[in-house]
Amino acid sequence: MTTTPATSARRGAGTRSALYAVLGTVAALVVTIPLLWAVLRAFQTNDTIVSAATWSQMLDLSGTNFAQILTPSGSLWRALMNSVIVSVATAVLTAVVATLAGYGLSKFRFRGAGAALSVILLSMMVPFQAILTPLYLEMNAMHLTDSLLGLVLFSTTVNLPFGVFVMKAACDAVPASIEESALMDGAGTVRMLTTVLRPMLLPGVASAALYAFLASWTEFLGALTFITREDLYTLPVALLNLQSGTFGELDYGLLVAGAVVAMIPCILLYIALQRFYVQGLAAGAVKG
C-alpha cells in the first residue's frame, strides 16, 4: 500500500498532537497535584496531618482551620486584610505611574530621555536587599515605618522599573497615525491615554498591575523590616509567626490553610488577567 505525502503529513501532525497532549497532561499534573494536596491537607486537623496516613483519615475533612483563620477577630484575618490593602494599592499606583512614565518616555522627546530610561532599567538589576539599611533609615526619617502607606510606597518603588519598561514597550507599539488623528480631533494627553489609547495599552497596564500585585502579595523581607506592629502585619509575616508556634507547638493544619488562603487571590487574579498579561509582555517585541 503506497503512502502519499499528504498521509505522512497527517500522521506526523497526529503524532505531534498526541505528544503535545501527553507532555501537557504531565506538566499539568506536576503543577496541580501539589496544589490539590495542599488544599486537601488544609481541610484536615493537625492530629490527622501528623499521624500515620490512612485512607479513612485522609477523607476525614473539616473546615475548622478556615473557620479559625477567617474569624474577623483573628490575627490572620487582619493580616489578610492588610495584604489586600497593600497589594491592591501597590498595583493601582504602579500601573498609574508606570503608564504616565512609559508614555512620556515613548512619545515625548526631551534631553536626557535615554539616560533616564537607562537608569530605570539599571535599577532593576539592584536588589532592594542590597540597600535595605539606608532604605530603612530613609523611611524611618520620613515616619513611614509601621505604616501601610510606607509599605505601599516601598512596594511601588521596587516594582516601578519593570512597570515602566512594560508600559514603554506598549506605548512604542502604538501606531503614530492613531495619535495624530486624535490630536487633530482636539484630544489632549489625558483624553489620549484614557480614551483613545486605552484599549491598546490595557494589556500593558494589566501586566504591570498584575506583576506589582503578585510581588507585593508575596513580599516578606520588606514587610518584616518596616512593620513591627502586630496589627499591621501582612499575611506572609503572620504565617511566619504561625509557623513559629507557641511553646514549641506547631499547628500544621492552620499553617497549610493559611498558605491556601494566600494562594487563592494570586491564582484567581492570574487566571482573570492571563490573556492581558501575555499580550502585555509581548507588546513591542515584534514590529509590524
Side-chain angles (χ1 to χ4, degrees):
M1 183 176 181
T2 305
T3 303
T4 62
T7 303
S8 300
R10 285 195 297 269
R11 289 179 179 177
T15 302
R16 288 192 297 269
S17 299
L19 182 59
Y20 291 154
V22 171
L23 293 178
T25 302
V26 172
L29 290 176
V30 169
V31 175
T32 306
I33 288 178
L35 296 178
L36 295 179
W37 182 260
V39 172
L40 179 64
R41 285 302 196 183
F43 284 96
Q44 297 174 350
T45 62
N46 185 62
D47 295 336
T48 302
I49 295 176
V50 300
S51 61
T54 62
W55 286 111
S56 60
Q57 289 181 333
M58 291 295 292
L59 298 178
D60 185 14
L61 306 180
S62 172
T64 305
N65 296 326
F66 290 100
Q68 186 171 347
I69 286 177
L70 300 178
T71 301
S73 59
S75 59
L76 279 181
W77 173 262
R78 186 166 57 247
L80 177 63
M81 292 297 101
N82 292 337
S83 288
V84 170
I85 293 172
V86 172
S87 300
V88 172
T90 299
V92 173
L93 186 59
T94 300
V96 172
V97 177
T99 301
L100 297 177
Y103 182 78
L105 291 171
S106 175
K107 302 303 180 181
F108 297 125
R109 298 293 178 261
F110 57 92
R111 182 177 300 178
L117 180 61
S118 299
V119 171
I120 292 174
L121 296 180
L122 285 174
S123 64
M124 296 174 60
M125 304 173 61
V126 181
F128 80 91
Q129 293 87 347
I131 56 173
L132 190 59
T133 299
L135 189 59
Y136 176 83
L137 295 176
E138 182 177 356
M139 291 187 63
N140 188 53
M142 294 187 294
H143 304 286
L144 291 175
T145 55
D146 281 335
S147 168
L148 294 182
L149 175 61
L151 197 56
V152 169
L153 295 177
F154 159 75
S155 299
T156 301
T157 302
V158 171
N159 295 295
L160 198 54
F162 178 79
V164 173
F165 171 74
V166 171
M167 291 310 303
K168 183 183 183 302
C171 292
D172 287 341
V174 175
S177 58
I178 297 179
E179 293 183 88
E180 293 173 357
S181 299
L183 289 174
M184 293 180 61
D185 291 338
T189 303
V190 176
R191 185 181 176 187
M192 182 82 70
L193 285 172
T194 57
T195 304
V196 180
L197 302 183
R198 183 182 59 187
M200 290 170 283
L201 297 182
L202 185 59
V205 174
S207 299
L210 178 60
Y211 181 86
F213 180 91
L214 296 179
S216 178
W217 183 266
T218 57
E219 170 57 42
F220 170 74
L221 184 57
L224 183 65
T225 303
F226 302 125
I227 301 295
T228 59
R229 288 171 46 187
E230 186 175 356
D231 61 317
L232 295 179
Y233 281 166
T234 56
L235 193 56
V237 180
L239 289 177
L240 174 68
N241 290 342
L242 183 62
Q243 183 177 354
S244 302
T246 304
F247 303 113
E249 296 181 358
L250 175 59
D251 193 324
Y252 290 98
L254 285 178
L255 183 61
V256 177
V260 170
V261 170
M263 287 190 300
I264 291 175
C266 299
I267 295 175
L268 295 179
L269 190 62
Y270 182 79
I271 293 175
L273 299 179
Q274 182 182 14
R275 176 168 59 92
F276 299 108
Y277 185 68
V278 173
Q279 292 177 2
L281 292 181
V286 179
K287 290 186 177 181

